[in-house]
Amino acid sequence: MRLAGGRVRVGALERPDFDEVRRNAEAEIRAEFATLAVAPDERLRLAAEAVDQAEEEKAALLPERDEALNSLAFYTTARGVYLSAGITRRGLLRVQQRALGLPRDANMPPRPEQPAAARAAGVRFVKCDVHTRRSGR
């Protein structure tokens, strides 16, 4: 529902369990390397390649993450959006500044003016169907 200021009220955000994600990734890599019968130097090289690949995959997802973060931060009443993305408040501020085309040391517009500034900068509202996916509709 649209509210004053062009914002949409959203329910509470679920924060992924990043510690669990890290533990799962570590266990997966350990299991994969446990099956390899290679010298320690070769194992280290393979581990470094796996880390590089994971970092590249993560970097490829950053534009999508930033688009969702900006949509939530500028157009909804959601609070603590940065927590759901596993970044700091300062990190969210930097993402928002980039979206608005502001220099790193520039002040953000006041909260009531942010939706209009975002629209002017071309930040689009990303419609989320999380609730429909959970309920099976």
Side-chain angles (χ1 to χ4, degrees):
M1 164 161 89
R2 291 263 175 215
L3 301 173
R7 299 185 192 280
V8 178
R9 186 173 303 281
V10 296
L13 297 175
E14 290 183 31
R15 179 175 187 224
D17 184 357
F18 292 106
D19 291 332
E20 181 67 24
V21 170
R22 285 184 191 96
R23 282 192 298 273
N24 289 343
E26 181 181 342
E28 191 177 307
I29 289 174
R30 285 182 187 273
E32 183 178 336
F33 287 121
T35 63
L36 300 174
V38 295
D41 290 345
E42 180 66 11
R43 193 175 288 183
L44 180 61
R45 185 186 66 77
L46 291 171
E49 286 176 4
V51 169
D52 288 344
Q53 180 183 353
E55 286 178 351
E56 288 172 6
E57 290 172 5
K58 176 185 161 196
L61 293 174
L62 288 180
E64 185 178 343
R65 180 207 68 180
D66 290 352
E67 183 179 35
L69 278 173
N70 285 321
S71 178
L72 285 169
F74 288 132
Y75 298 123
T76 72
T77 59
R79 298 186 137 208
V81 177
Y82 58 93
L83 292 173
S84 66
I87 62 174
T88 63
R89 276 180 139 166
R90 189 101 160 133
L92 175 62
L93 175 65
R94 188 63 196 124
V95 168
Q96 290 178 299
Q97 287 171 328
R98 277 195 306 265
L100 296 179
L102 299 174
R104 184 178 209 112
D105 58 346
N107 290 330
M108 288 289 293
R111 181 87 168 127
E113 297 172 16
Q114 287 180 7
R119 278 191 290 279
V123 176
R124 66 185 194 93
F125 176 72
V126 178
K127 187 171 182 176
C128 178
D129 63 346
V130 171
H131 299 291
T132 57
R133 276 190 270 145
R134 270 196 225 132
S135 64
R137 289 184 228 156

